[in-house]
Amino acid sequence: MSISNEEIAGLVRSDSVHKRVYTDPELFQLEMDRIYGQAWIYVGHESQVKNPGDYHTTRIGDQDVIMTRGTDGKINVLYNRCPHKGAQLVAQGDGCAGKFFRCPYHAWTFKLDGSLLSVPLRNGMEGTTFDKSHPDFSMRPLARVDSYRGFVFASQSAEGPDLVTFLDGAASSIDNLCDRAPEGEVEVVGGVFQVMQLSNWKVFYENLHDTMHAPITHESSFMAARDEAQHLGEMPFELLIMDGNGEPYEFWEKLELRAYKNGHGYMEAIFDPAAATRDPVSRAHFESLAAVHGEEKARAILGMNRHNTVIYGSGSPHTVFQQFRVIRPISVNRTLIEIQTFRLKGAPDSVFDRALTYTNVINSPSSNVMPDDVELYRRCQEGNMTRGGEWVSHHRYAGTDKETPEGTVSVNGTSELPMRNQFAAWKQYMLSGNSAQSQE
């Protein structure tokens, strides 16, 4: 790579970034090494590999990986590569390998932890340097794998903070998502939506906490929801969740934005939790939690009012409506979004039904809301390819952020604190040499 650290440092200012961070293919390749080669990245949920031999394929940066459960019950994360000829061991998606992985090319087989099990016609290897126990002949595991309350993360780097330290305050959002289940556990149910967006991966992270865009970008959907509600004489849930984007600026200014280390953070939810407990679904949910924890703790759990949490490099869990939008970079101008929906174990079925409704209406490929965002992300990508200017502004309330022991807090809900925080983390990663590639 020909981009110097001095050049990288000059791309990020305290209140703006250079457009190259979204458009330069060379910078994108550096990100795959220095960010996705270092950070803890969400791989999947343990419920996606319930039984030994089950596997789930995904990507960490530009690397195809397999999450699988071993015969000992341990979760393994392996590069999706046969060490013989380099073929992918399994096709994209989920499945069950049985007791071992078998390469479809030459039938080399591997234990579920990736170690070599056997090769055909073993006598043909005798008298050579072939050593079955040598790691060169096994599937390579990622350097570190850990799970936080069933959410599996992996790092390609053997060095760096442990998972809990890395997650910092964002871990409390995962806690709240799980605590909303009377049994304290969640599981991925109902399949996974996928959306390919024609934009850089960082644009999605910025938009997750961009409160200024909602009443503008989503005007068509919330106005349609209001028109339909007027026609019906009521505002059912399907319309209410679209209508929320139409709140005036005064509403958004009052929301809290909080930023943590490593680019993480959250945005306060836009739906009133007290009002939500008056509907039958939320009331049944509350009663199921109160039966286990008592009313006071049930209120505290449901009262944690967060909309989008950012786990930088991984995606965004949504605690209230039980989903995780997983963000996977594909190229400098292509990003794959996976939407996972969770069932709260022990909660009424109606709670999961409501989560599915939210996923379909707001975040699915055929929703009334997501296409608005996807179109604007594309326009940002295209606009930054022109000669119309060099810098992207993050000036809103710059210099006013409040540092606290629990993270940095905005003084106004329309602040661009989250964007500044994300790019501070980006700069730190990009100037670090502790990457997976540098350790090989």
Side-chain angles (χ1 to χ4, degrees), residues 142-356:
L142 272 74
R144 293 183 292 167
V145 178
D146 202 354
S147 178
Y148 187 79
R149 298 199 67 170
F151 291 79
V152 179
F153 291 77
S155 172
Q156 297 187 74
S157 173
E159 301 178 14
D162 60 53
L163 177 59
V164 173
T165 302
F166 169 80
L167 290 173
D168 198 30
S172 60
S173 291
I174 296 178
D175 286 331
N176 185 246
L177 175 56
C178 297
D179 290 344
R180 286 170 176 263
E183 296 180 16
E185 295 182 351
V186 300
E187 60 181 348
V188 177
V189 179
V192 177
F193 282 127
Q194 292 188 330
V195 181
M196 186 67 76
Q197 301 182 355
L198 303 181
S199 53
N200 187 267
W201 63 275
K202 296 182 290 297
V203 176
F204 196 118
Y205 282 101
E206 295 178 53
N207 192 70
L208 286 165
H209 294 169
D210 184 339
T211 57
M212 288 292 292
H213 88 283
I216 309 303
T217 301
H218 301 300
E219 183 176 15
S220 61
S221 57
F222 76 71
M223 289 300 294
R226 291 175 180 179
D227 289 344
E228 181 65 13
Q230 185 175 12
H231 174 73
L232 295 174
E234 60 177 340
M235 179 73 76
F237 177 75
E238 294 85 349
L239 301 180
L240 175 67
I241 54 180
M242 288 193 287
D243 177 67
N245 282 318
E247 297 287 356
Y249 286 134
E250 291 81 5
F251 170 85
W252 303 99
E253 288 186 300
K254 296 176 183 178
L255 295 182
E256 179 183 274
L257 298 170
R258 191 175 292 265
Y260 298 116
K261 297 176 182 177
N262 303 316
H264 313 321
Y266 72 78
M267 166 188 159
E268 189 179 8
I270 64 176
F271 299 103
D272 180 5
T277 59
R278 292 195 288 267
D279 75 83
V281 175
S282 295
R283 186 163 58 249
H285 187 191
F286 170 77
E287 290 171 354
S288 70
L289 279 175
V292 176
H293 301 296
E295 292 191 0
E296 182 177 355
K297 185 173 180 179
R299 287 194 181 91
I301 291 170
L302 296 178
M304 182 178 280
N305 196 25
R306 296 183 183 179
H307 194 58
N308 294 326
T309 294
V310 162
I311 301 178
Y312 195 63
S314 292
S316 177
H318 192 304
T319 60
V320 177
F321 294 120
Q322 305 145 232
Q323 44 178 277
F324 200 130
R325 281 182 283 176
V326 186
I327 302 173
R328 303 297 190 204
I330 302 299
S331 66
V332 71
N333 60 356
R334 288 169 63 86
T335 304
L336 179 66
I337 309 299
E338 300 177 348
I339 300 98
Q340 301 175 354
T341 305
F342 294 85
R343 184 178 73 86
L344 307 179
K345 291 186 177 182
D349 291 341
S350 58
V351 177
F352 178 63
D353 292 341
R354 182 175 62 182
L356 281 181

Side-chain angles (χ1 to χ4, degrees), residues 422-438:
Q422 289 167 21
F423 273 100
W426 183 90
K427 183 176 180 178
Q428 183 176 0
Y429 278 122
M430 293 292 281
L431 296 179
S432 170
N434 179 26
S435 65
Q437 184 174 334
S438 66

